[in-house]
Amino acid sequence: MADGKKLVIVESPTKMRSIQGYLGDDYEVLSSVGHIRDLADKRDIPEKDRAAYGRYSIDIEHGFTPYYVVSDRKTKTVSELKRALKGASELVLATDGDREGEAIAWHLLETLKPKVPVKRMVFHEITKDAIRKAVESTRELDTSLVDAQETRRVLDRLYGWDVSPVLWRKVGSGASGQALSAGRVQSAATRMVVDRERERMAFVSASYWSISARATREQTGFGIRLARIDGSPLGSGRDFNDKGELTKAVVVLDEQQATRLATAIERAGSAAVTKVEAKPGTRRPSAPFTTSTLQQEAGRKLGMTAKVAMSVAQSLYERGYITYMRTDSTNLSAQAVQAARSQAVALYGDAAIPAKPRVYPSKSKNAQEAHEAIRPSGDTFRTPKEVVGQLGRDEQRMYDLIWTRTIASQMSDAKLETTTITLAADADERALEFTASGTVYTFKGFLEAYEEGADEKRHASEEDQNQQLPQVAVGDAVQLSDAEAKGHQTSPKPRYTEASLVKALEERGIGRPSTFASIIGVILDRGYVVKRGQALVPTWLAFSVIRLLERHFGDLVDYDFTAELEEDLDRIARGEADRSDWLKSFYFGGGEHPGLRTIVENLGEIDARELNATPLTERATLRFGKYGPYLEVVDPDAPEADPRRINVPEELAPDELTPEKVQELIDQPVAGNRVLGENPDNGKVVVVKDGRFGPYLEESEPEEPGEVDPATGEVAEAPAKATKKAAAPKPRRASLFKSMSPETIDLDTALALLALPRTVGTDPASGEEITAQNGRYGPYLKKGSDSRSLEAEQQIFDITLDEALEVYAKPKYGARRAASSLKEFEKEDPTSGKAIRIRDGRFGAYVTDGETNATIPRGETATDVDFERAVQLLADKRAKGPAKKRGAAAKKAPAKKAPAKKTNAAGKEVSAARSEAAKKAAATRARNKAAREAAGE
């Protein structure tokens, strides 16, 4: 780099390319590619410092000072930045203006140790004018923001590394056997999902009936519903609490009463208008997007997860199409307000905007008003039509959402009028009142451009609010027809979706919008939550984890306490609190909080068995074990006997495991353990059993008969074996084909399965034997090391040598059969525009649009996956990007010849001990990795 150039460092390669074009040849723009330093692993700390920094890489006794190191994967990046800095006349740190960006800038400063002037440049959109303005108005590094970020990092390390090991010891493993983790925000989020499921489990449904009918006046018909009987209101779902009890004095009809009354209304045939009430109303537009509201709307309207939404928004920001996408502010600059108002007038006329610009107060206590809401970049906005062809499909949809929301936020209120008509009639010797409502928009205002989506709500109105009502006056008669009685069941609160969980977290002040996507990702990855369509369903593992945290770390999962931690971090960011003093209070205790260390050191005994138990009925207890949830059922006639264990289907949500469902599982015939007969070749008994991975066959030794008492004829127990024999060889086993049932399989079929692999014949060309067998991924042929898939399991028994040779004569991959289609949707994928199918592949069912394949997660079936869920799975897979291919292995220096191993007994013991130690070390590394991930590393 030529002398005199100014070095600008950003954190993103995409931003680097955009900004370089705006700054010109006097600048060189490079990227740090995110953070360059992080807390060290213990092995990276010099021996002399290890005692001080301990296992956390934090000197707890001296101001909670972290020990940072440059990560291995950033060594080359740091070298390139240092080399560029040598010839620079000035260093400009241009990372994002939030806590994370400020911390990245500070780490760069600490690592590069520049000897030239340093400036901090901040911008909120990547446009030519914004970048040039930012260069002219640089500032100093904000150490308070750095302190807040460092405090959060240290806090999460202490929390995760102290609490997670308790979960490992007392709960077990998470999804796919990975180590569990606890985290400051993820644990509170998991508790919210579990608490909602607890409410659903405790919910008692109540039934009620409603009556609707059709009213006609001068050939105009409209829907009405029965509202009052003899002056008393008719009960609805809102009148019941979650215990199924009435909370108001209302009339509740049963089926017989409702049906009889509907018939009487039909006979009455007419009603009189007793009241007509018209009320004007106003609807105001929603504020421009913050990070949280963008994630919510992207979920509702675009079917995107929070993670995908943030990834798409970040791409738009770095390419210069929108302003910074991590913000709590609803503020718009004067230029943005003018741009929005001008476009609204151009599109919808002069009446589309109010006389004065709209100003939206930020709800977040720590919102930085210098920041802006998420909006299209620039002083004039590009319309969605103008960017067609420049953006990918997801980017185009996201830009359109942000553009319309921004424009609508500056538009006029919508004006409406809601009319309610009350009708009276007599039927079945009872005075009845009916109501009908209809809403008409007299001026649509902002609704011309945009209407905010809504989450699922309980007790949604059964009335047709959008119907057109005729002009009627008090005393007018209307004709009644089509009276219909409808039965209803009250419903529990809906489960959280990603959108509603984000909203709830923000309302409680837990976490920050920029972290919501990663929080949801963690609780899904850990197996605490699974998705059923859009709904977030907690697993029984989550119940065990939250039960432990509530009992022994109550403060740490308390919603108010967690929110207070966020407010404390905000106070540090504003320079109102000292990081060291705050961490000391959190860790060692202060005020009403005993401190994390005190809690961990005084946990006492934790009964892991009791912790993983949820009583469901007097006989049955749900337990979570190594292989998942199961029922432990006590025999009331033999309470001291070992309880029976019954597997719980993975697809069964916790609130669906009702006492009735528990009894159904108990009453089901015991699968497997059915004796099919004796193998005539070896005299062993063939039994079909039910295993963890499905039904299977097993050969077992016949039981030795007991001795017969000649006096009584009774059979005594077989005599105990006097000496311990060598371990018997493992019994032969074989899995059943998918088409087979443990209830109907016969002995001949079982013997054929146990005899596999079947020898088909010998290849005359090579002399190699060809066998047919069943494997993990289905039926196949094997010849030496060459294997070929078969199309059906039955071919294992039926295929001839000639047919097998034909299979081998074809190219190995050229004739691969297409995966069978399990389901096909009518709609096309909104991103690729191609048809979406669910196929049955080698590794199980998956969703595909012909370009992207997404495996259906464990716990979900093809039946569960609807169109919205399929779109989401594909979007999630696209966000992850293509799988990384393994590069060629690096060449290693010739290994030194190891000394000859000793073969005596002692040597074997040493080898075994080392092997065991290696296993323990590997397990420890896995747990530490999980803890680091939980701590946000």
Side-chain angles (χ1 to χ4, degrees):
M1 186 171 72
D3 290 343
K5 281 194 175 183
K6 298 177 181 180
L7 176 62
V8 179
I9 302 178
V10 296
E11 72 275 57
S12 162
T14 305
K15 288 169 64 175
M16 175 184 75
R17 291 186 287 271
S18 300
I19 294 171
Q20 181 68 72
Y22 295 139
L23 291 179
D25 295 336
D26 291 338
Y27 294 83
E28 179 169 0
V29 184
L30 296 179
S31 168
S32 68
V33 197
H35 276 282
I36 59 169
R37 292 200 311 176
D38 201 359
L39 291 172
D41 286 331
K42 188 174 181 179
R43 64 177 181 272
D44 295 328
I45 301 176
E47 189 70 36
K48 62 182 179 64
D49 294 323
R50 287 185 182 176
Y53 288 94
R55 71 188 187 96
Y56 307 105
S57 302
I58 298 166
D59 188 348
I60 292 173
E61 303 297 334
H62 298 88
F64 292 85
T65 305
Y67 194 100
Y68 294 112
V69 293
V70 175
S71 59
D72 292 340
R73 64 181 185 277
K74 292 300 179 69
T75 303
K76 182 179 178 181
T77 300
V78 171
S79 297
E80 292 173 350
L81 294 175
K82 286 183 175 180
R83 186 163 51 250
L85 185 59
K86 285 182 180 179
S89 61
E90 184 176 283
L91 173 61
V92 181
L93 301 173
T95 52
D96 290 336
D98 55 12
R99 293 182 199 166
E100 195 82 17
E102 208 73 13
I104 293 173
W106 178 77
H107 282 291
L108 285 166
L109 196 60
E110 292 290 301
T111 303
L112 299 178
K113 302 185 185 305
K115 298 180 180 178
V116 295
V118 178
K119 295 180 179 179
R120 178 75 171 101
M121 182 174 97
V122 177
F123 46 86
H124 306 298
E125 60 181 358
I126 302 176
T127 60
K128 186 174 183 179
D129 290 343
I131 297 302
R132 289 186 172 178
K133 184 177 179 181
V135 168
E136 296 169 358
S137 55
T138 56
R139 62 168 172 79
E140 297 294 322
L141 196 73
D142 190 332
T143 55
S144 294
L145 286 179
V146 177
D147 283 348
Q149 176 63 20
E150 187 171 68
T151 304
R152 184 204 65 78
R153 188 70 187 86
V154 171
L155 168 63
D156 288 344
R157 169 64 66 96
L158 297 174
Y159 188 124
W161 282 38
D162 271 357
V163 182
S164 295
V166 182
L167 301 182
W168 304 336
R169 295 193 300 269
K170 298 301 180 181
V171 178
S173 298
S176 305
Q178 64 180 320
L180 303 180
S181 67
R184 174 177 56 91
V185 182
Q186 76 173 61
S187 297
T190 303
R191 183 189 170 195
M192 289 177 69
V193 180
V194 169
D195 278 349
R196 178 57 55 87
E197 196 73 7
R198 286 169 172 168
E199 291 179 282
R200 292 175 64 88
M201 294 170 71
F203 177 79
V204 178
S205 182
S207 62
Y208 63 97
W209 284 72
S210 66
I211 298 176
S212 60
R214 191 76 178 162
T216 305
R217 170 70 176 173
E218 294 180 354
Q219 298 184 342
T220 301
F222 55 99
I224 62 174
R225 66 180 183 88
L226 182 61
R228 304 177 76 86
I229 300 176
D230 293 330
S232 298
L234 185 64
S236 67
R238 293 185 178 86
D239 301 320
F240 294 88
N241 61 22
D242 286 353
K243 295 180 180 180
E245 302 166 338
L246 280 172
T247 58
K248 295 179 181 178
V250 295
V251 177
V252 178
L253 300 177
D254 59 25
E255 181 178 7
Q256 182 179 359
Q257 293 169 327
T259 303
R260 187 179 68 191
L261 197 54
T263 302
I265 292 170
E266 284 276 358
R267 286 199 302 266
S270 65
V273 176
T274 59
K275 187 178 181 180
V276 179
E277 185 178 19
K279 289 184 177 180
T282 300
R283 286 185 60 185
R284 297 176 60 83
S286 300
F289 280 132
T290 62
T291 303
S292 169
T293 53
L294 177 64
Q295 290 173 1
Q296 294 172 50
E297 277 292 82
R300 299 183 192 115
K301 292 194 171 184
L302 307 182
M304 293 182 180
T305 64
K307 182 178 181 180
V308 171
M310 291 309 295
S311 175
V312 175
Q314 180 159 344
S315 175
L316 287 172
Y317 164 66
E318 292 179 349
R319 296 179 62 187
Y321 286 93
I322 64 171
T323 53
Y324 191 50
M325 70 291 166
R326 293 190 180 94
T327 175
D328 289 337
S329 176
T330 53
N331 184 48
L332 289 177
S333 67
Q335 294 87 348
V337 169
Q338 183 57 43
R341 287 169 62 87
S342 297
Q343 284 196 332
V345 169
L347 291 169
Y348 306 111
D350 292 339
I353 60 172
K356 294 182 179 180
R358 292 187 182 275
V359 177
Y360 295 90
S362 293
K363 296 179 181 179
S364 172
K365 296 179 181 178
N366 200 47
Q368 300 180 51
E369 296 305 326
H371 291 183
E372 281 195 73
I374 304 170
R375 62 166 178 87
S377 60
D379 293 341
T380 57
F381 300 159
R382 289 167 283 190
T383 66
K385 289 184 179 179
E386 290 174 329
V387 298
V388 170
Q390 303 173 23
L391 302 175
R393 188 173 180 86
D394 278 350
E395 292 174 324
Q396 180 77 41
R397 295 163 68 217
M398 178 68 78
Y399 183 81
D400 184 84
L401 187 70
I402 294 169
W403 180 84
T404 53
R405 174 89 165 213
T406 307
I407 299 300
S409 73
Q410 287 300 316
M411 291 178 66
S412 301
D413 294 342
K415 305 294 183 181
L416 54 92
E417 185 175 85
T418 299
T419 302
T420 302
I421 299 174
T422 304
L423 308 171
D426 291 325
D428 197 25
E429 299 182 352
R430 310 185 78 170
L432 308 180
E433 280 189 14
F434 299 86
T435 61
S437 293
T439 297
V440 176
Y441 281 93
T442 55
F443 176 69
K444 296 199 71 173
F446 73 93
L447 292 175
E448 294 278 7
Y450 179 86
E451 183 169 10
E452 186 175 39
D455 296 315
E456 180 186 355
K457 293 182 179 180
R458 298 172 78 187
H459 315 310
S461 175
E462 297 174 0
E463 279 190 83
D464 185 1
Q465 293 284 345
N466 295 320
Q467 66 178 329
Q468 187 76 30
L469 297 178
Q471 290 289 334
V472 294
V474 174
D476 286 348
V478 298
Q479 301 302 309
L480 300 182
S481 62
D482 301 328
E484 181 183 7
K486 294 181 181 179
H488 306 273
Q489 293 285 329
T490 56
S491 58
K493 292 179 180 178
R495 291 191 179 97
Y496 286 111
T497 62
E498 285 201 23
S500 60
L501 182 59
V502 165
K503 183 177 181 181
L505 287 168
E506 184 180 41
E507 288 174 347
R508 289 184 179 272
I510 296 173
R512 282 292 174 260
S514 60
T515 66
F516 291 155
S518 61
I519 292 167
I520 294 172
V522 168
I523 64 178
L524 286 167
D525 292 342
R526 288 285 176 267
Y528 298 155
V529 172
V530 295
K531 278 195 168 183
R532 179 182 290 185
Q534 295 290 329
L536 299 175
V537 183
T539 62
W540 288 109
L541 170 63
F543 277 74
S544 295
V545 169
I546 294 303
R547 188 179 293 121
L548 183 149
L549 295 176
E550 286 175 333
R551 292 180 183 178
H552 302 281
F553 300 93
D555 278 353
L556 301 186
V557 289
D558 179 78
Y559 300 135
D560 292 337
F561 179 78
T562 307
E564 287 170 5
L565 293 184
E566 294 292 351
E567 292 180 5
D568 289 341
L569 291 174
D570 291 342
R571 290 195 302 114
I572 295 171
R574 296 192 296 266
E576 298 170 2
D578 179 77
R579 62 171 294 280
S580 298
D581 292 342
W582 187 88
L583 284 168
K584 182 178 179 180
S585 174
F586 170 80
Y587 194 65
F588 293 110
E592 298 180 358
H593 184 56
L596 179 61
R597 171 176 279 189
T598 304
I599 295 172
V600 173
E601 291 178 348
N602 294 277
L603 284 175
E605 291 297 321
I606 298 177
D607 186 344
R609 179 172 171 77
E610 188 272 338
L611 185 72
N612 288 290
T614 304
L616 298 176
T617 66
E618 291 183 2
R619 292 181 57 195
T621 299
L622 187 288
R623 294 192 181 278
F624 188 87
K626 182 178 181 181
Y627 301 116
Y630 63 93
L631 294 177
E632 199 172 71
V633 183
V634 175
D635 185 349
D637 297 328
E640 301 301 324
D642 288 339
R644 176 183 162 201
R645 291 188 173 192
I646 302 173
N647 288 333
V648 174
E650 290 184 354
E651 66 274 10
L652 203 63
D655 76 326
E656 295 169 353
L657 199 56
T658 60
E660 294 77 19
K661 185 63 179 179
V662 169
Q663 192 60 47
E664 180 185 324
L665 293 174
I666 293 173
D667 293 340
Q668 285 179 352
V670 178
N673 295 345
R674 185 167 72 90
V675 177
L676 301 180
E678 183 180 291
N679 186 340
D681 294 335
N682 55 25
K684 294 184 178 181
V685 177
V686 180
V687 183
V688 61
K689 297 184 174 183
D690 186 32
R692 179 188 172 202
F693 302 108
Y696 68 97
L697 299 164
E698 181 178 284
E699 279 185 336
S700 59
E701 297 289 347
E703 293 184 7
E704 296 183 16
E707 297 180 356
V708 178
D709 188 325
T712 64
E714 292 181 355
V715 179
E717 292 183 1
K721 297 178 181 179
T723 58
K724 186 177 181 180
K725 296 182 180 180
K730 290 185 177 181
R732 269 200 311 174
R733 294 190 177 101
S735 296
L736 271 63
F737 288 174
K738 293 178 181 179
S739 57
M740 297 176 181
S741 165
E743 289 79 20
T744 58
I745 189 171
D746 56 28
L747 179 61
D748 291 340
T749 305
L751 293 175
L753 289 173
L754 288 166
L756 293 177
R758 165 181 165 254
T759 301
V760 179
T762 301
D763 185 344
S766 64
E768 292 180 299
E769 186 178 75
I770 300 175
T771 59
Q773 47 198 301
N774 203 19
R776 180 181 179 186
Y777 305 117
Y780 67 100
L781 294 173
K782 187 170 184 180
K783 181 178 68 171
S785 60
D786 189 1
S787 60
R788 302 296 175 92
S789 296
L790 294 174
E791 294 184 1
E793 293 170 321
Q794 188 60 35
Q795 286 183 287
I796 295 174
F797 296 134
D798 298 342
I799 194 167
T800 65
L801 177 59
D802 289 341
E803 291 170 338
L805 293 174
E806 285 183 17
V807 172
Y808 274 103
K810 297 175 182 178
K812 186 166 186 178
Y813 301 106
R816 178 174 290 173
R817 64 185 177 89
S820 58
S821 182
L822 301 177
K823 185 189 291 187
E824 186 169 345
F825 299 102
E826 294 181 1
K827 297 179 183 179
E828 295 178 343
D829 181 75
T831 299
S832 66
K834 296 187 176 181
I836 298 179
R837 296 178 176 86
I838 298 180
R839 294 188 178 277
D840 186 16
R842 180 182 179 188
F843 302 102
Y846 66 96
V847 179
T848 180
D849 64 348
E851 295 179 353
T852 304
N853 298 337
T855 302
I856 294 177
R858 185 179 179 185
E860 295 183 47
T861 65
T863 306
D864 298 331
V865 177
D866 56 15
F867 177 74
E868 288 73 20
R869 177 62 172 149
V871 170
Q872 179 182 318
L873 289 171
L874 291 172
D876 289 348
K877 185 63 183 290
R878 292 188 193 100
K880 291 180 180 178
K884 295 181 180 179
K885 296 182 179 179
R886 293 184 179 181
K891 293 183 179 180
K892 296 183 179 179
K896 294 182 179 180
K897 188 175 181 180
K901 294 183 179 179
K902 296 182 180 180
T903 58
N904 57 24
K908 290 181 180 178
E909 291 176 2
V910 170
S911 178
R914 286 175 178 169
S915 177
E916 185 63 29
K919 290 179 181 178
K920 290 181 178 179
T924 300
R925 287 194 296 273
R927 289 196 297 269
N928 288 344
K929 180 182 178 184
R932 287 195 297 272
E933 291 174 353
E937 298 179 37

